[in-house]
Amino acid sequence: MLRATLKSLLARKLRLGMSAFAVVLGVAFVTGSYVFTDTLNRTFSDLFSDLHADVLVRPAAPEGQDSFAALAGTTSVSIPADLVGEIAALPGVADAYGEIESGGVGVLDQDGDIVGVMGGPGLGVGYDPDTFADDSVVTVVDGRGPEGPGEVAIDARTVDKAGLDVGDEVDLVTLGSEPRLSAELVGVLQFGGDDDGLAGATMTAFDMRTAQELFLDGEDAYTIISVIAASDVSAEELRDTVAAVLPDSLEASTGADVDDEMISAVEEGLGFFNTFLLVFAAVALFVGIFMILNTFSILVAQRSREMALLRALGARRSQITRSVMIESFVVGLIGSTLGLAAGLGLARLMQVIFGALGMEFSGSLVLAPRTVIVAFAVGIVVTMVAALAPARRASKVPPVAAMRDDMAITGSSRRNHGLLGGLLTAAGVAAMVAGLADAVPEALLFVGLGILTTFVGVALLAPIISVPLIQVITGWYSAAFGTTGRLARQNAMRNPRRTAATASALMIGLALVSAIAVVGASTKKSIDEALDEGLHADFVITNNTAGEPFSPTVADSARDIAGVDTVTSIRSAFAVVEGSQETITAIEPDAFAVASDFDIVEGSGDLAGGGAVVGDGREDDVAIGDTVTIEMAGASTEVPVIGYYDSDSPLLSGGYIVGFDTFTQVGAPTVDTTVLVIAASGAELGAIETGLTEATAELPMVTVRNHEDYRQSQRDELDQLLNIVYALLGLAILVAILGIVNTLALSVMERTREVGLLRAVGLSRRQLRTTIRLESIAIAVLGAVLGIGLGLGFGISLQRALADEGLASLDVPISQLVVFLVLAAVVGILAAVWPARRAARLNVLRAITTE
Amino acid sequence: MTNHDSGPPAAKAVDLTKVYGAGDTQVVALDGVTVDFIASQFTAIMGPSGSGKSTLMHCMAALDTPTSGQVFIGDVELSALNDKKLTRLRRDRIGFVFQAFNLVPTLTARENITLPLDIAGTRVDRDWFETIISTVGLSDRLKHKPNELSGGQQQRVACARALLSKPEIVFADEPTGNLDSRSGAEVLAFLRRSVREFGQTIVMVTHDPGAAAHADRVLFLGDGRLVDEMIDPTAEKVLERMKGFDAVGTGQVG
Ligand SMILES: Nc1ncnc2c1ncn2[C@@H]1O[C@H](COP(=O)(O)OP(=O)(O)O)[C@@H](O)[C@H]1O
Ligand SMILES: [Mg+2]
C-alpha cells in the first residue's frame, strides 16, 4: 500500500508540487520572520554584550518600567561629579569615571539631511581622554579625541555616509538650547572590534565639558558612572559596595545586567515585529489550507477509479485514508523543506533591504532549532489538516465505482455542509460581535476567533451560495461570448464545491483587505473631522519621525515671527504612573485651549498648581483628589489629580496631562514634540508659513505644516501603515491566485478528453483560452464578491465597536472596493494564463485517446 | 485504388505514411496508403487490431499529421494548412464520431449537437436540425445531459452532431464498439440512412462484419497497408475475408 501511495505521488509531481507551493510560501514567511528577527537579535546582543564596565551607576529605574522605555527614555536627572571621587575611594574599586550619554544628536551630511535611519538614535557622548584610552568598546581610529568646544569625533560609518574627512566642519543638530551646532571633525571613532557599526545609530563625541554644557545645563555632572572592580572583587560584590553609598535616586547594576537589560529591550521590540510578520504568515497559511484541500480533492476525484480498484481488491477504507494522508505528509515535508530554504532567502533579502535603508546588520543568518521545528510542524500539520477531508472522501469511494464508466464521487451531502457552514458563520459572527462589544474577557481573542470561524463557515456555505452568485456573475457571458461564454459558465458551475473552495481562498485575502480599507477610510474621515473641529492652530510643527522631540528653541523662534499671535508646545515623555508604563503629556492649558480643544468635564484644569488631569475615559480608575506617583529614572513625584478632560480632543491621547513646571519637576527633559502656532487675526498666513519654514530651516528634522498639510500628513502616515498591511496581505492573495492557477490547471487536465473533443469539433485555440479565462474570471470575481461582502461586514462592525475610541465616522471607500473587484477580474485573467496555454497546447489527438 | 462510381472523391490519401517513434521503438502505423473515399458512399474500414485503422482516420480527419504523403479533403491538401485553418476545416467540412466520450458533459444533447455550429457562430438550419433529430429519434431527449442518456443515445447524439453542419465527409472510429448489439444497430441504421437519404459521405472503422455489411464498400488494412477491398459486402463474405487474416496470423480482430 505504501509503495502504491508513493508511486502515485511520483506520478503526480507537478500537481502536488503546485499545492506544496502554498506550504512553501507560508513556511518561507514563517521561517523568514524568525530568521530575520533572530539575526537582528544576535546583532544587537553582539552590540550590547561586554559593552559596559563591571558596575554602572545610573538614575534608578522605576518599578514597572517597560524595557523599551528604559532604552528610549531620557531623564533630566544627572549624577553629581563629586560622587565619582567618592566611589573611586571605596574599597574594591580599581577605578571609577563619569560618562555622559544623551540622545537627539544628529549629524548632517552635505545636503543638510540627518545621517541615519529615520528614528535611529543619534547618540551624543562626552569624551574623556583617560577613559577612552582604556575603553575597548569605543576607540579613536583616526585623528584624535575632541579637546574643547568646537571639536567633535564621530563614528566611522557616519563619517563615511556624510562624506566627511578629519578636519572638515560638520553640522550637528541637538535637542538642547543650541539646536544647531557647527564643529570641526577632529577624530573618527570605532564602535566595537570591527566596523559593524551601530545598527543604524550614530555617535558623536564632544569633550566632557562641552557635553555637560549641551546635555546637562552646564552642571559638573554625568549621566553614568562606570566602576571597574579591583582584581579580587566580583561585579556583584562591587555593586553592593557601591549601592551602599548611593542616594535613592541612583542605583548600581552590574554591567552584565545592563547588557542583558538592553538585549531584552531589543528582543521585546523585535518580538512585536516578529509577531506582526507571523500574523500575516498565518493568514497566508490559512488561505493555503483551502488551496491544498482543493488540490487533494481534485486528485482524489481523479483517482476515484484507482481507489475503487484498490477497494475492490480488498483495501480497507482506513488504508485508503491513510494512503492519502501519507501523501499529504510527504507533500508537507517537501513543502516545509523548500519553505525553510526560501525563508532563509527571504531573510537575507530583508537584510539587504534594511542595509540599503541604512540599517546594516551584517553577519550570517541565525537559524535557530526552534525555527526549523516550527517550519516543519506548521508545514506538515497544515498540509495534513487540509488533506483530511479529501482523504475521508476518498475512502468513501465504493468498490463498484471501479466497474462503472462515468463514476464521479458524488458530494457527500452538500446540505450537511451548508448546515454546518451556517452554524459556524452564526457562531463566528456572534463571537466577533461579543468581542467587539467588549462583552467578554479576552475581547481580542473573541474577535480573532470569530473572524476565523466566520471564514470557515462562509467557506462551507460557499458551494451553495456560489451557484446563484456565479449565475449572476456569468450572466452576460453567453450574450457576449456565445458558446465560449456558455461553456465557461457551465464549467464554473459544474463543481460548486471546487469553485467555492478556490474562491474562498481569495475571499479571505480580500475580506481582510476590504475590512482594512473600510477601517482605514473611516479612520481618515474621523481624523479629518476631529481635526476640523478640534484643531484651531494655523500651523503645526512636528519632528519628521512621529513623536520624536526637538529643541524648545523652535517655539521661541516661532514667537518672533511677525503676525504670530500664540505659540504653544506639547511635550511628552515615558513615565511610570502608579506602577504602570504610560506616556505623560505636558501642555500650557490656556494657550493650548486656543490652539485645540481642552475641555474639562469635571474638576479643574488649572495645571499651574502642580496637579494633573486625566482623560474622561479613565474615570473608573482614578478619582479626582487622588494622588498618583509619577516615576522616571531617578525621580519619583507625587502629583494630585485635579480633573478629567474630554479625551475626544484630537491631539490628546486620554492619558495624564500636567503643566510644564510639573513636567520638569517629575524629571522629564525640556524638549517639545509638537509646536502649535496661531496667527493673529488678519495676518497673512503665507508670510507666516514662510517665516516659520525659514526659522526651522536649519533643523532638518522639523517640519512646519499648515492646517491642511497637517491633515494630509496624518492621512499619509496612516496610508503608509495601510500600505504595509496591504503588501503583507498580498502574500495571502498571492497564495489564493496560485490556488486559482492550480485548480484551473487541474481541471483542465481532468477535462483533457473534453478539451480534445472541443478542439476536434472546431473550437480554436483562442476560443479555448477564452473559455478558461472566463471561467477563471468567474471564480476570481466570486471570491472577490464574497470577500468584499464579508470585509464590509467586518469593517463596519469594527468601526461601530471603535466609534468611542476615535473612529467616530464610517466611510465606505466604494471606489476602492470597486477597484478591488476589477483587480480580482484581472487576477482571474492572469491566473488563467498558464492553464489556458497548457490546454491550448494539448495535442488534440492525444487528448481524445487519453485514458 | 480505382473509382467504382462516378464523381470526384470526397477525400483521398496519397502514399500516406505515418511513423511513430524512432529507432528501436519505431512503429510504421501507415505504410504508403493510397485511397479515395467516394462522395455519397458509405465506406467501412476493417483490419486486425494495430493495423492502422484509427491512425488512418485521424490523419484523414486532420487530427494528426502524416509523416509523409498527402491527404485531401475535397481538393484541399491538408499539409498546406496551419493550425487555425485545420481547425476551421474540421469545424466546417468534417464530422466525427468516436468510440466513446463524444459529448461535452456540461451541455445538453441539443447543445452538444449544435456545438460546432455554435462555435462557428453559424445559424442552425432548423429544418435540417428537425430532420436529423427525427431520423436519429432523439426528439424527446434534447434537454438531457449526456450522463442522463444511454450509451446508444449518446452515440446517436454524436452522429447527429457530426451531420448537422452538413460536412463533406464524416469519419467514425468504431462508433458502435462500446454498444450492445441493439443500440449498435440503431446507430448503424442511422448512418446508413444518412448516406441513402441525404447523400452523406461516411467512412467508418468497425470490427463487426455485420456492421461492415451496411457499407457500400469495405477496405481491409493489414500492417499499415491497404490489403484488399470488397464492394457491396455481406456479413458472410466479410467474415470469410477476416478469417483469412487470422490464418496469416496478423493478430486478432480488434
Ligand atoms: N501515439 C502512438 N505512439 C506510438 N505508436 C502508436 C501510437 N498510436 C498508435 N500507435 C501504433 O500504431 C499502430 C496502429 O495503431 P492504430 O491505428 O490505433 O490501430 P488500430 O486502430 O487499427 O487498432 C499500432 O501498432 C499502435 O501501437
Ligand atoms: Mg483503433
Side-chain angles (χ1 to χ4, degrees):
Chain A
M1 197 72 195
L2 183 62
R3 255 229 336 237
T5 302
L6 294 179
K7 278 219 161 125
S8 86
L9 198 63
L10 274 178
R12 282 156 234 269
K13 284 192 289 288
L14 180 66
R15 304 162 200 206
L16 286 167
M18 283 196 285
S19 72
F21 206 80
V23 185
V24 173
L25 263 187
V27 170
F29 211 65
V30 171
T31 311
S33 310
Y34 276 127
V35 170
F36 180 66
T37 43
D38 285 349
T39 308
L40 267 181
N41 260 332
R42 207 259 330 263
T43 305
F44 282 104
S45 20
D46 284 357
L47 196 63
F48 293 141
S49 63
D50 276 341
L51 190 58
H52 298 102
D54 297 331
V55 167
L56 291 189
V57 175
R58 301 175 300 170
E63 196 80 14
Q65 184 175 49
D66 283 356
S67 46
F68 78 89
L71 197 64
T74 39
T75 168
S76 62
V77 174
S78 57
I79 307 172
D82 2 338
L83 196 57
V84 178
E86 201 178 311
I87 289 173
L90 289 173
V93 174
D95 198 3
Y97 45 89
E99 291 179 43
I100 294 179
E101 239 178 55
S102 178
V105 178
V107 178
L108 303 189
D109 62 17
Q110 252 89 3
D111 303 329
D113 295 323
I114 296 180
V115 177
V117 203
M118 284 249 295
L123 297 177
V125 301
Y127 175 81
D128 177 339
D130 300 335
T131 60
F132 261 65
D134 316 339
D135 198 325
S136 60
V137 179
V138 181
T139 46
V140 178
V141 291
D142 194 7
R144 58 177 172 79
E147 286 170 2
E151 292 188 350
V152 289
I154 296 176
D155 72 280
R157 188 154 293 206
T158 306
V159 166
D160 198 36
K161 275 196 212 151
L164 295 167
D165 284 308
V166 172
D168 285 353
E169 274 297 295
V170 49
D171 290 319
L172 303 165
V173 290
T174 73
L175 296 178
S177 50
E178 248 186 291
R180 170 91 178 209
L181 298 176
S182 186
E184 187 192 346
L185 179 69
V186 296
V188 178
L189 303 175
Q190 185 161 307
F191 191 88
D194 45 33
D195 65 348
D196 255 5
L198 295 156
T202 61
M203 180 187 270
T204 308
F206 303 87
D207 89 292
M208 199 56 84
R209 186 64 213 139
T210 310
Q212 288 172 339
E213 289 291 345
L214 285 173
F215 308 122
L216 301 174
D217 291 333
E219 282 175 59
D220 187 15
Y222 301 105
T223 58
I224 298 168
I225 298 175
S226 290
V227 189
I228 314 279
S231 54
D232 55 344
V233 179
S234 76
E236 285 72 22
E237 286 167 341
L238 182 66
R239 175 193 59 201
D240 298 340
T241 318
V242 172
V245 302
L246 295 179
D248 278 353
S249 62
L250 300 179
E251 69 182 1
S253 334
T254 63
D257 284 348
V258 177
D259 291 344
D260 290 348
E261 197 180 284
M262 293 177 96
I263 291 167
S264 66
V266 171
E267 263 172 17
E268 195 174 299
L270 291 177
F272 172 76
F273 181 59
N274 193 21
T275 310
F276 183 73
L277 291 180
L278 288 179
V279 165
F280 292 96
V283 172
L285 279 167
F286 183 57
V287 171
I289 287 184
F290 285 85
M291 174 171 170
I292 299 165
L293 188 146
N294 227 14
T295 310
F296 273 94
S297 299
I298 299 173
L299 293 182
V300 162
Q302 286 175 348
R303 277 158 54 199
S304 53
R305 260 280 194 53
E306 179 187 324
M307 312 235 167
L309 187 64
L310 288 173
R311 292 273 284 128
L313 295 178
R316 270 169 292 129
R317 278 192 172 186
S318 58
Q319 283 176 302
I320 302 281
T321 309
R322 205 179 312 139
S323 87
V324 176
M325 291 312 288
I326 290 173
E327 219 172 286
S328 72
F329 174 81
V330 175
V331 170
L333 194 69
I334 294 170
S336 306
T337 312
L338 295 177
L340 194 65
L344 285 170
L346 200 66
R348 179 84 193 97
L349 186 73
M350 293 214 270
Q351 204 179 19
V352 169
I353 291 172
F354 269 62
L357 290 175
M359 195 169 164
E360 293 95 348
F361 58 103
S362 44
S364 55
L365 298 171
V366 178
L367 183 61
R370 175 262 279 122
T371 310
V372 179
I373 293 168
V374 171
F376 278 100
V378 160
I380 291 169
V381 166
V382 161
T383 318
M384 292 185 74
V385 163
L388 212 57
R392 278 174 41 98
R393 212 175 306 148
S395 73
K396 289 191 187 138
V397 178
V400 61
M403 289 49 172
R404 288 222 305 264
D405 214 26
D406 50 353
M407 172 66 205
I409 310 177
T410 39
S412 70
S413 145
R414 228 197 280 163
R415 200 177 313 138
N416 278 349
H417 281 186
L419 198 66
L420 184 62
L423 283 175
L424 281 179
T425 308
V429 169
M432 192 178 80
V433 167
L436 287 176
D438 259 335
V440 282
E442 301 286 347
L444 209 60
L445 190 69
F446 262 78
V447 176
L449 286 179
I451 290 179
L452 201 72
T453 316
T454 310
F455 277 144
V456 176
V458 174
L460 283 174
L461 280 176
I464 298 169
I465 48 184
S466 70
V467 175
L469 276 177
I470 288 271
Q471 248 154 5
V472 173
I473 292 169
T474 61
W476 55 286
Y477 277 13
S478 271
F481 296 96
T483 311
T484 327
R486 201 164 63 235
L487 284 169
R489 177 191 167 97
Q490 304 278 16
N491 283 342
M493 287 195 296
R494 75 201 278 180
N495 194 332
R497 186 187 278 158
R498 183 185 301 179
T499 302
T502 313
S504 295
L506 191 62
M507 164 188 90
I508 294 165
L510 271 175
L512 295 174
V513 167
S514 311
I516 287 163
V518 171
V519 171
S522 301
T523 311
K524 274 187 247 177
K525 191 176 178 204
S526 306
I527 291 177
D528 269 3
E529 286 177 1
L531 288 180
D532 273 348
E533 279 175 30
L535 180 69
H536 316 302
D538 297 299
F539 302 98
V540 180
I541 306 175
T542 53
N543 195 313
N544 297 339
T545 306
E548 287 293 302
F550 50 87
S551 165
T553 56
V554 171
D556 296 337
S557 44
R559 280 190 189 94
D560 294 339
I561 289 165
V564 167
D565 180 71
T566 310
V567 174
T568 184
S569 321
I570 304 174
R571 297 176 178 168
S572 64
F574 291 128
V576 174
V577 182
E578 291 296 289
S580 61
Q581 186 73 53
E582 301 233 12
T583 299
I584 58 165
T585 306
I587 58 170
E588 302 162 302
D590 296 336
F592 184 86
V594 181
S596 180
D597 284 345
F598 183 58
D599 299 322
I600 296 299
V601 294
E602 198 185 329
S604 150
D606 181 18
L607 301 176
V613 290
V614 68
D616 51 5
R618 291 169 65 168
E619 281 161 341
D620 297 337
D621 304 337
V622 243
I624 294 176
D626 282 0
T627 299
V628 293
T629 312
I630 299 181
E631 292 171 284
M632 299 192 73
S636 171
T637 317
E638 305 275 305
V639 177
V641 176
I642 57 172
Y644 300 127
Y645 66 91
D646 182 353
S647 43
D648 282 344
S649 173
L651 299 180
L652 302 176
S653 61
Y656 286 94
I657 297 179
V658 296
F660 279 7
D661 292 341
T662 319
F663 196 66
T664 310
Q665 200 187 323
V666 300
T670 309
V671 283
D672 293 341
T673 49
T674 306
V675 170
L676 304 171
V677 179
I678 299 173
S681 60
E684 164 61 86
L685 288 180
I688 298 177
E689 183 162 2
T690 314
L692 287 170
T693 309
E694 277 168 14
T696 55
E698 58 173 18
L699 297 179
M701 73 286 197
V702 167
T703 305
V704 177
R705 291 190 178 87
N706 63 31
H707 199 277
E708 176 49 34
D709 286 350
Y710 182 69
R711 258 173 43 166
Q712 187 58 44
S713 75
Q714 297 298 97
R715 268 181 250 144
D716 291 347
E717 227 167 79
L718 189 69
D719 277 334
Q720 268 178 20
L721 186 73
L722 290 178
N723 286 338
I724 292 174
V725 174
Y726 286 147
L728 289 168
L729 282 175
L731 188 76
I733 293 182
L734 182 66
V735 172
I737 296 174
L738 283 173
I740 299 180
V741 175
N742 205 15
T743 305
L744 282 176
L746 289 171
S747 300
V748 167
M749 285 187 229
E750 195 177 45
R751 298 176 202 151
T752 299
R753 264 176 184 289
E754 190 181 323
V755 167
L757 175 67
L758 286 167
R759 292 274 291 125
V761 299
L763 196 73
S764 69
R765 290 206 155 100
R766 176 126 67 104
Q767 286 171 312
L768 180 61
R769 280 197 293 265
T770 307
T771 312
I772 293 167
R773 216 173 284 142
L774 287 175
E775 182 182 352
S776 178
I777 292 175
I779 297 175
V781 171
L782 173 68
V785 167
L786 290 174
I788 293 172
L790 267 184
L792 267 177
F794 292 157
I796 294 173
S797 332
L798 270 170
Q799 185 273 330
R800 289 273 175 274
L802 298 176
D804 290 340
E805 275 136 78
L807 214 63
S809 323
L810 175 68
D811 186 18
V812 176
I814 306 243
S815 58
Q816 207 178 345
L817 298 182
V818 170
V819 168
F820 291 161
L821 198 64
V822 173
L823 283 181
V826 174
V827 158
I829 294 173
L830 291 180
V833 167
W834 182 64
R837 191 175 307 157
R838 243 185 108 94
R841 257 204 247 118
L842 272 181
N843 178 307
V844 180
L845 194 61
R846 187 108 28 93
I848 300 166
T849 49
T850 273
E851 248 314 309
Chain B
M1 292 289 140
T2 44
N3 286 0
H4 297 271
D5 275 5
S6 54
K12 65 177 180 183
V14 179
D15 202 16
L16 184 60
T17 302
K18 178 73 187 181
V19 181
Y20 288 112
D24 282 353
T25 57
Q26 178 169 318
V27 178
V28 182
L30 290 177
D31 189 2
V33 174
T34 299
V35 63
D36 288 357
F37 295 108
I38 299 143
S40 305
Q41 262 206 1
F42 190 175
T43 308
I45 298 182
M46 299 197 74
S49 176
S51 57
K53 305 182 295 290
S54 294
T55 308
L56 179 62
M57 287 292 100
H58 294 152
C59 288
M60 292 304 301
L63 289 167
D64 204 354
T65 39
T67 310
S68 68
Q70 292 166 305
V71 173
F72 292 87
I73 298 294
D75 48 11
V76 179
E77 209 271 299
L78 298 191
S79 68
L81 304 182
N82 62 16
D83 179 73
K84 216 175 223 170
K85 290 201 172 114
L86 283 177
T87 301
R88 196 167 312 143
L89 178 100
R90 280 201 304 267
R91 191 181 74 197
D92 299 339
R93 300 177 63 178
I94 300 175
F96 312 88
V97 184
F98 303 111
Q99 184 169 352
F101 295 107
N102 271 297
L103 306 179
V104 178
T106 49
L107 301 181
T108 62
R110 173 197 286 276
E111 286 168 336
N112 264 295
I113 293 171
T114 59
L115 186 60
L117 292 180
D118 289 342
I119 290 172
T122 322
R123 286 186 65 84
V124 177
D125 177 341
R126 290 215 57 86
D127 290 343
W128 180 229
F129 181 81
E130 294 303 334
T131 311
I132 290 184
I133 294 308
S134 60
T135 315
V136 86
L138 282 168
S139 312
D140 55 341
R141 283 277 181 265
L142 289 177
K143 289 215 170 75
H144 293 247
K145 292 266 172 79
N147 63 0
E148 296 158 346
L149 300 174
S150 73
Q153 286 168 334
Q154 288 185 23
Q155 286 305 73
R156 280 186 279 154
V157 170
C159 293
R161 182 190 63 208
L163 290 176
L164 184 65
S165 57
K166 298 191 183 158
E168 283 158 39
I169 188 162
V170 170
F171 295 99
D173 192 352
E174 302 194 32
T176 57
N178 268 10
L179 303 180
D180 60 74
S181 55
R182 222 196 83 190
S183 306
E186 282 168 8
V187 170
L188 282 169
F190 171 65
L191 290 177
R192 198 179 161 72
R193 272 182 73 187
S194 57
V195 176
R196 295 280 171 274
E197 293 175 20
F198 315 133
Q200 181 67 58
T201 311
I202 294 181
V203 180
M204 174 184 75
V205 171
T206 182
H207 58 258
D208 172 10
H214 283 78
D216 297 314
R217 168 179 168 215
V218 182
L219 300 175
F220 294 94
L221 275 185
D223 272 345
R225 294 201 194 89
L226 207 52
V227 291
D228 199 0
E229 73 169 297
M230 188 181 286
I231 314 289
D232 294 327
T234 62
E236 292 74 30
K237 283 203 286 179
V238 173
L239 195 59
E240 199 67 18
R241 183 66 191 83
M242 294 301 287
K243 277 188 184 141
F245 279 110
D246 281 346
V248 181
T250 328
Q252 284 194 312
V253 175

